[in-house]
Amino acid sequence: MQSVDAREGGYLTDVAYVRQFCKELAPALLRAACSLNGFAPPPADDFDYCELGCGTGDTTNTLAAANPRSRFAGVDFNAEHVAFARDLAARGALANASFLEHDLARLEPEATPALDYVCAHGVLSWISPATRAALIDFAAARLRPGGVLYVSYNALPGWAAVEPLRRLLRDASESVAGTSVDRARHALATARLLSDAGAEYFASNPAAREMLATALQAGPTYAAHEYLGGEWHPMYFADVATEMSARGLRFVGQLPLYLNYRDVTIPLTLMDVLSGVEDRFAFERLKDFAVNEFFRGDLYMKGGPARDAATAAAFLDETTFGTLVPAANVKREIRLRHHVLRYAGDLFDALVARLAERPATVKELASDPALTPFGPDAVRDAVLHLLLGEQITPMRAATGPAPTGYNRAILDQRLSTSSPVVLASAQAGTGIVVPTLHAVALRLLTGVEPASWPSWIRAFVDRQPLRLQAGDRPVGDKNEQARIIAAEVERFRAARLPKLVALGVVDPVG
Ligand SMILES: C[S@@+](CC[C@H](N)C(=O)[O-])C[C@H]1O[C@@H](n2cnc3c(N)ncnc32)[C@H](O)[C@@H]1O
């Protein structure tokens, strides 16, 4: 089997990429990033969206299910990826998702409808400069005025100290026959031996040790796609932004959202050094050195009105926000790279309880009796902080059918801990990753008559080689396993299910 397809600029095509959902690609989040930076975002509904290098299509399909009145397309040149994506769309009866098997180097803008969103997650650094130019040309040609291109890529200076790890993995993989995964497995083992034996490169580069640990944890399929392709270009923000601006695409912001706020991004010791740098372009260049950036997710807009601070204020005041989890599961402390967001005290207690119960705008929140004492400015600021810590998300009155058919198809597929279960919510316009045990509970609660629940659980534990624990004690006995699963299902039904019903993820049970 051919492991690297030279025709395609060296990106490997013999093994499928890992399945994953990229939450950054949700239009609701892209709109938030534009708005908070003062740029009028593309439409929230009835839009056209294209994901370039869509892999197995899990993100495109989930977003199509969660945005049923909009149209989604995914493009990838790996035939296995596209076949998988099409099959998932068909199983989920998605009429608004389509997939094209095509090389990004040869996209034909004239054959594509006008677009509001173009996204390429984890693509830019792994393709040749010519393919990168074709990708950006395509976005510049097909985006409507005010449309957005999101690109994420390996960034410099962060990768500078780690580039030799890539070289080591590439070189170590060369002597091995077999698939790219076989080669990656051997390369990872070689790097681990060197690191464990105290090789000076790893000893003096903690970042390389961490990156190797990440690759070992993510496994050889991920490592093959990350490190073994023929093209690999970590890039400076300034170089990407310059290529974009040459095609009329201007930088409008970054994801995760908190990175657009210097007071929660820059280490305290560097605040003064950067305080006079007002120009965003100049700031980003320095910021990447201040935080030693490894990976960036940037938004570029085609034309559109000038930046206006009122856009951010209007977004915060008029958007309906809600939680994806019950109040008890909203995190009260978020550790960012250099700062900690804390949601403690009476204001956050009242706010979290209110938003978890029912989505609301800042205006509605400020007039809630539990929150009026704090005043609208404090409420708005607290909402912003919850948003930056990703504990709340923009919501909308769901338009179009609830994606319960798509979610059923997801729940019906073989569950595996290596592929996350991602269910679509039309209210949130995005996907919700649920733990495997919750997916099992949902399968039971939404697909089986209550009278048959005990026998279903018993058949489930008999079928699965489950590794369960009661405290520190491993539980091998099947009767006890069935009792544990039944108790977990009940806990899930009481604590988690109502939220998923409220988010339109599943129909009410019973
Ligand atoms: C690192 S994976 C990222 C996949 C997906 N965006 C994600 O984040 O899960 C890069 C993807 O780009 C695709 N790709 C690479 N070069 C391509 C090209 N020249 N034309 C089309 N697809 C390409 C690969 O097949 C792969 O699915």
Side-chain angles (χ1 to χ4, degrees), residues 19-190:
R19 293 184 64 184
Q20 60 175 347
F21 173 69
C22 307
K23 64 181 178 357
E24 295 79 10
L25 272 52
L29 204 52
L30 298 172
R31 295 186 81 249
C34 295
S35 307
L36 290 174
N37 284 295
F39 296 95
D45 206 7
D46 195 11
F47 53 76
D48 292 280
Y49 181 110
C50 180
E51 187 188 357
L52 302 175
C54 63
T56 54
D58 283 278
T59 302
T60 300
N61 275 321
T62 309
L63 294 176
N67 295 273
R69 284 174 18 103
S70 300
R71 295 147 300 279
F72 287 77
V75 183
D76 204 289
F77 68 4
N78 182 316
E80 195 178 338
H81 290 173
V82 172
F84 185 92
R86 284 181 179 149
D87 178 59
L88 180 56
R91 281 187 283 123
L94 295 178
N96 62 336
S98 60
F99 293 90
L100 182 66
E101 187 186 321
H102 209 286
D103 188 343
L104 299 176
R106 289 186 273 277
L107 288 169
E108 291 149 22
E110 53 295 345
T112 318
L115 295 162
D116 300 292
Y117 300 89
V118 176
C119 294
H121 181 76
V123 176
L124 224 55
S125 307
W126 291 267
I127 54 181
S128 69
T131 305
R132 187 169 77 235
L135 185 159
I136 303 173
D137 282 343
F138 171 83
R142 289 326 294 152
L143 280 171
R144 297 191 167 104
V148 159
L149 168 63
Y150 172 83
V151 287
S152 62
Y153 54 95
N154 280 347
L156 290 165
W159 268 98
V162 188
E163 194 281 333
L165 172 62
R166 137 111 175 161
R167 179 62 190 246
L168 169 64
L169 294 172
R170 285 265 299 173
D171 288 354
S173 75
E174 268 170 13
S175 59
V176 181
T179 67
S180 301
V181 171
D182 298 327
R183 298 192 303 121
R185 194 176 289 114
H186 175 81
L188 287 171
T190 307

Side-chain angles (χ1 to χ4, degrees), residues 172-222:
S173 75
E174 268 170 13
S175 59
V176 181
T179 67
S180 301
V181 171
D182 298 327
R183 298 192 303 121
R185 194 176 289 114
H186 175 81
L188 287 171
T190 307
R192 176 185 230 159
L193 281 176
L194 277 171
S195 177
D196 288 353
E200 192 57 39
Y201 168 65
F202 288 104
S204 20
N205 284 291
R209 282 204 306 277
E210 270 171 43
M211 201 59 89
L212 176 59
T214 304
L216 287 164
Q217 161 94 23
T221 302
Y222 163 84

Side-chain angles (χ1 to χ4, degrees), residues 444 447-454:
L444 172 72
V448 180
E449 285 299 316
S452 308
W453 288 353

